[in-house]
Amino acid sequence: MSELNFHHLRYFHLVARLGNLTRAAEQLNVSQSAVSTQIRLLEERLGQPLFERRGRTLVLTEAGRIALDHAETIFATGEELLNTLGERPSSRRQVLRVGSLATLSRNFQIGFLRPLLGRDDVEIVVRSGALGDLLKNLEAQRLDVVLSNIAPPRDAATPWISHTIAEQPVSLIGTPERTASGATFQELLVGEPLILPTVETSIRSGVDALFDRLHIRPRIAAEIDDMAMIRLLARDGVGLAVVPPIVVKDELASGELVEVDHFPRLTEIFYAVTLARRFPNTLLRELIAGVADRPG
């Protein structure tokens, strides 16, 4: 088997970074056809198309994205050799690109990523946003995984894979002052102001169904789509929060907040959303495979 031609790889690396053959040719001081030839030879050697054309822009295929990651590792290794022999510090790191729903619990995100946090050989990039934008970035291979408490619909056009990585109970939680009256769970639901997730959430639909069964008209202090904001309002005593305990685990541990009770048959499910890929990120595989062995 013939060896990989690093001259081809260098041309590919520059085109991948610029997304344009003409600009790459100008920087290399060669003709555009010469660059195209080098890319074609590399694709033939690897047996995979590395680019697809969208208008005037070249976009990496999945194989192209993998090739780029390896090319950058190869060139970084060469630089590391120079740094090592020149007695200059350097390091190489694997990268995991994570998209996270902007309203998702920070405690949950940290818990999922904890096995990789602090590792010298790993860099974690986390980008928050709306689910639609995150899924577009996942499809474009700018993200390796999207963390969400909403499972996106799956069909032939959008074949998302939603890995269930946690299921948390939903509880009624508040300050000791608001929960010290000795009132029952149902009495607190009737008598105390409530901090609720917004109507778009799965938690809210379950809570509203319970209110309907019990003929309760809740006193709503606030409707919030951000778990971090719910946490702050609960700590400030604005009302009793309807929230998974993981969101306020530090406050529960310190006694700043108290858990009254779980809502019956109501949970929040957390997902790691991916796409089927021929070359999945090994760090992501490691995280998902280890979920079953971690405490909930």
Side-chain angles (χ1 to χ4, degrees):
M1 185 175 69
S2 60
E3 296 180 353
L4 184 66
N5 188 313
F6 288 94
H7 184 66
H8 300 163
L9 199 63
R10 179 69 73 179
Y11 277 48
F12 159 75
H13 182 260
L14 185 58
V15 173
R17 304 309 298 176
L18 296 176
N20 186 280
L21 283 173
T22 301
R23 292 203 303 271
E26 289 173 352
Q27 288 198 23
L28 293 166
N29 198 28
V30 297
S31 68
Q32 183 174 323
S33 62
V35 177
S36 297
T37 298
Q38 298 298 316
I39 298 299
R40 186 175 66 255
L41 290 172
L42 180 61
E43 289 178 326
E44 291 174 358
R45 175 66 190 88
L46 296 176
Q48 300 285 342
L50 301 177
F51 294 101
E52 60 182 32
R53 184 173 291 280
R54 296 182 186 173
R56 296 183 178 181
T57 303
L58 292 176
V59 179
L60 288 169
T61 63
E62 182 182 351
R65 172 64 62 183
I66 298 300
L68 177 59
D69 287 343
H70 281 278
E72 290 182 338
T73 299
I74 288 168
F75 297 139
T77 301
E79 183 177 353
E80 184 177 10
L81 173 61
L82 295 174
N83 289 336
T84 299
L85 296 182
E87 299 183 349
R88 297 187 298 268
S90 66
S91 63
R92 283 186 299 151
R93 312 183 89 188
Q94 295 174 274
V95 178
L96 179 68
R97 303 173 182 89
V98 180
S100 181
L101 199 62
T103 58
L104 203 62
S105 162
R106 277 40 171 186
N107 285 339
F108 164 72
Q109 296 177 50
I110 291 172
F112 176 69
L113 297 171
R114 191 175 302 282
L116 300 181
L117 296 176
R119 278 179 45 174
D120 292 337
D121 62 333
V122 173
E123 177 182 349
I124 300 174
V125 178
V126 180
R127 296 186 174 91
S128 297
L131 184 59
D133 293 334
L134 295 174
L135 292 176
K136 288 178 182 177
N137 282 312
L138 178 64
E139 189 172 20
Q141 301 171 46
R142 290 188 288 267
L143 293 173
D144 298 305
V145 62
V146 170
L147 301 182
S148 174
N149 55 357
I150 302 169
R154 176 188 171 101
D155 54 40
T158 53
W160 315 117
I161 302 172
S162 298
H163 306 268
T164 299
I165 52 177
E167 185 171 359
Q168 294 288 330
V170 177
S171 296
L172 188 65
I173 291 172
T175 60
E177 292 76 19
R178 285 203 173 274
T179 58
S181 64
T184 65
F185 179 72
Q186 186 168 337
E187 289 170 342
L188 289 172
L189 289 178
V190 173
E192 291 291 328
L194 302 179
I195 307 165
L196 299 176
T198 54
V199 294
E200 298 86 2
T201 63
S202 59
I203 293 179
R204 180 62 181 274
S205 61
V207 171
D208 284 347
L210 176 64
F211 289 156
D212 183 68
R213 289 196 303 272
L214 298 178
H215 305 290
I216 292 174
R217 297 186 63 183
R219 295 170 53 198
I220 300 177
E223 296 179 85
I224 310 292
D225 67 356
D226 186 344
M227 287 295 172
M229 180 61 73
I230 292 179
R231 175 185 183 185
L232 291 175
L233 293 179
R235 281 169 36 179
D236 287 345
V238 171
L240 298 180
V242 177
V243 69
I246 190 174
V247 175
V248 292
K249 68 174 186 176
D250 295 336
E251 288 81 2
L252 292 174
S254 69
E256 186 176 1
L257 292 175
V258 176
E259 181 181 12
V260 177
D261 203 352
H262 295 331
F263 281 81
R265 297 184 300 279
L266 182 59
T267 60
E268 182 172 34
I269 301 175
F270 296 91
Y271 302 95
V273 183
T274 65
L275 280 175
R277 290 183 178 173
R278 184 175 178 183
F279 309 104
N281 189 306
T282 56
L283 293 173
L284 179 60
R285 279 203 307 245
E286 179 182 333
L287 282 177
I288 292 178
V291 164
D293 300 325
R294 292 178 223 153

